[in-house]
């Protein structure tokens, strides 16, 4: 039993805005994904690619026969079918813009073909409510009887040739050409991943499937001693607290500094001392929330999303628990994220070390980012 396949790659990608089939998807052009799947299937012996006239060289790969397309999809498919061996028992017709064709779906089609007198197509049931526009408004259509057709679509090769030779119109669905001769169509379960790249959003979805979100974690730590200046404010988490302030070049907000360092560590962006050095008078007494806001903007510009921030303040005084939500809210606004993504807690050093002797305040932070 000889089985051939035709990959239709003769479209102009008008809805996409550029030649989508030559765009890189992973490490190869978009069209080559389905070609590799078909060419590597053990039961498929011949693969023909139908390309737009003048573009055949872009599809020149070992194991493929490339032919020119026509002015309509029907003409292009006819050209591809004619290029397959006339002795082929069955042939499949597939859209080059569906890169995630699987061997399993091909097997499902090939299993159904011998028992079908017409075409076999994969299709998915519709899940959304479907409405049809009419003169009196819209009406709900029974979706239980509707399916979204996919490719590849298969039939006996001789039947494909007969159907396309007798069809002078333009059909977007290959099985419809066979149905025009009075033959039935058999529907087999399709594959959710076998979607067609029609818009840039589809292309983005395909790239995300190949490259899952990258997640990174960073750690931050900062410590400041209490200031001898009685007029200096104590700033933690962007909020003013009771007690002596902390000594530092900026406002010495140890909590915000630890959070900024955690974010920079996760993104590989250096540290707060590199970006906001204490030798630069620009940052004298600066509001540390500015550091957090600018760091968050920098991360977003690099495609990162802040997933979570967990911070711990180490201090003997003041009592901080009543201000947790205030600090979370201030930092969430500065970072441009939901307050639920930030956690703040505090603990003491039980009288041990410099922190335990109430000589200053330290903070740890862990940040998770993704893109």
């Amino acid at each position: 039993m000889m089985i051939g396949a035709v990959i239709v790659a003769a479209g102009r990608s008008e809805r996409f805005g550029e030649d989508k089939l030559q765009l890189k998807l992973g490490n190869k052009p978009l069209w080559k994904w389905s070609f590799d799947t078909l060419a590597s299937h053990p039961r498929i012996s011949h693969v023909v690619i139908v390309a737009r006239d003048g573009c055949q060289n872009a599809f020149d790969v070992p194991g493929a026969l490339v032919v020119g397309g026509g002015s309509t999809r029907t003409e292009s498919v006819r050209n591809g079918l004619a290029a397959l061996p006339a002795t082929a028992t069955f042939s499949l017709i597939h859209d080059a813009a569906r890169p995630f064709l699987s061997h399993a779906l091909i097997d499902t089609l090939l299993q159904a073909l011998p028992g079908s007198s017409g075409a076999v197509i994969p299709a998915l049931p519709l899940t959304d409510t479907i409405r049809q526009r009419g003169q009196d408004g819209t009406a709900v259509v029974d979706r239980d009887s509707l399916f979204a057709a996919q490719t590849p679509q298969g039939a006996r090769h001789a039947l494909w040739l007969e159907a396309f030779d007798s069809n002078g119109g333009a059909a977007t669905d290959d099985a419809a050409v066979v149905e025009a001769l009075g033959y039935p169509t058999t529907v087999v379960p399709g594959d959710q991943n076998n979607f067609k790249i029609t818009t840039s959003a589809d292309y983005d979805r395909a790239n995300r499937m190949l490259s899952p979100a990258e997640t990174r974690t960073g750690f931050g730590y900062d410590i400041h001693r209490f200031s001898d200046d009685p007029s200096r404010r104590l700033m933690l988490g962007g909020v003013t607290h009771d007690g002596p302030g902390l000594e530092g070049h900026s406002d010495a907000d140890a909590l915000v500094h630890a959070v900024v360092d955690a974010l920079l560590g996760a993104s590989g962006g250096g540290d707060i001392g590199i970006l906001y050095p204490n030798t630069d008078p620009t940052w004298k007494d600066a509001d540390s929330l500015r550091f957090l806001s600018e760091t968050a903007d920098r991360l977003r510009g690099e495609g990162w999303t802040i997933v979570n921030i967990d911070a711990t303040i180490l201090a003997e005084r003041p009592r901080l628990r009543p201000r947790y939500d205030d600090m979370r809210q201030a930092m969430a606004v500065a970072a441009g994220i939901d307050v639920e993504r930030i956690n703040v807690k505090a603990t003491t050093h039980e009288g041990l070390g410099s922190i335990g002797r109430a000589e200053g305040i330290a903070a740890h932070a862990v940040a998770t980012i993704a893109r």
Side-chain angles (χ1 to χ4, degrees):
M1 182 184 296
M2 183 184 296
I3 300 173
V6 173
I7 299 177
V8 186
R12 297 185 177 277
S13 304
E14 292 178 349
R15 282 179 289 180
F16 193 89
E18 61 179 303
D19 188 357
K20 62 189 178 187
L21 298 183
Q22 298 300 334
L23 292 177
K24 280 294 184 68
L25 183 60
N27 60 351
K28 56 189 174 183
L30 191 153
W31 66 268
K32 199 169 184 297
W33 285 85
S34 55
F35 170 80
D36 287 347
T37 301
L38 287 163
S40 63
H41 193 281
R43 297 185 63 189
I44 295 176
S45 56
H46 296 77
V47 180
V48 172
I49 300 174
V50 186
R52 196 165 73 246
D53 277 339
C55 300
Q56 288 95 321
N57 289 340
F59 299 89
D60 186 14
V61 294
L65 173 61
V66 184
V67 299
S71 59
T72 65
R73 178 189 171 87
T74 302
E75 292 180 6
S76 295
V77 173
R78 185 187 296 116
N79 292 352
L81 290 168
L84 287 173
T87 53
T89 308
F90 299 105
S91 51
L92 306 178
I93 303 169
H94 184 61
D95 292 326
R98 293 182 186 270
F100 298 128
L101 172 64
S102 67
H103 279 190
L105 183 56
I106 295 172
D107 289 338
T108 299
L109 288 163
L110 296 183
Q111 184 177 3
L113 276 170
S116 173
S117 59
V120 177
I121 68 171
L124 296 172
L126 300 182
T127 57
D128 293 329
T129 296
I130 305 299
R131 284 186 168 271
Q132 185 176 30
R133 184 182 292 110
Q135 292 182 345
D136 300 325
T138 63
V140 174
V141 179
D142 180 12
R143 68 185 177 199
D144 291 338
S145 61
L146 300 177
F147 295 88
Q150 297 182 327
T151 67
Q153 300 185 358
R156 294 185 180 274
H157 185 61
L159 179 56
W160 277 136
L161 291 174
E162 178 187 356
F164 277 91
D165 284 344
S166 63
N167 186 282
T172 58
D173 184 83
D174 304 311
V177 181
V178 171
E179 290 172 345
L181 294 182
Y183 292 93
T185 294
T186 300
V187 176
V188 298
D191 182 349
Q192 292 282 359
N193 289 333
N194 184 35
F195 61 93
K196 186 176 182 180
I197 307 296
T198 302
T199 66
S200 58
D202 298 326
Y203 179 60
D204 291 342
R205 175 188 172 189
N207 275 297
R208 287 195 299 271
M209 289 175 63
L210 293 176
S211 303
E214 177 184 5
T215 302
R216 294 186 186 179
T217 300
F219 298 88
Y221 172 78
D222 194 37
I223 184 169
H224 288 272
R225 64 179 179 84
F226 283 114
S227 173
D228 296 329
D229 183 354
S231 65
R232 188 167 176 83
R233 296 183 303 163
L234 173 60
M235 299 298 301
L236 289 172
V239 175
T240 303
H241 299 263
D242 295 332
L246 297 171
E247 190 64 41
H249 185 62
S250 63
D251 63 5
D253 191 325
L255 176 58
V256 172
H257 292 182
V259 168
V260 170
D261 259 353
L263 291 170
L264 291 172
S267 66
D271 63 51
I272 194 170
I274 295 174
L275 299 178
Y276 306 102
N278 58 13
T279 55
D280 187 343
T282 302
W283 314 121
K284 178 63 176 173
D285 296 325
D287 183 349
S288 292
L289 289 179
R290 176 181 173 182
F291 304 160
L292 177 56
S293 178
E294 292 181 358
T295 299
D297 287 342
R298 181 178 294 107
L299 264 62
R300 278 188 286 271
E302 297 171 356
W304 294 106
T305 296
I306 299 174
V307 178
N308 184 69
I309 295 170
D310 184 29
T312 302
I313 305 168
L314 309 175
E316 297 297 315
R317 57 184 171 89
R319 186 166 179 267
L320 297 170
R321 183 171 297 177
R323 305 299 303 279
Y324 282 177
D325 287 343
D326 294 337
M327 290 185 281
R328 291 172 63 218
Q329 184 63 41
M331 290 191 292
V333 171
I337 60 176
D338 293 336
V339 69
E340 289 79 9
R341 295 183 182 273
I342 297 184
N343 185 58
V344 172
K345 51 193 182 295
T347 187
T348 69
H349 258 205
E350 300 293 338
L352 300 175
S354 60
I355 298 298
R357 293 192 297 271
E359 295 175 8
I361 292 176
H364 293 275
V366 179
T368 302
I369 61 176
R371 66 177 174 187

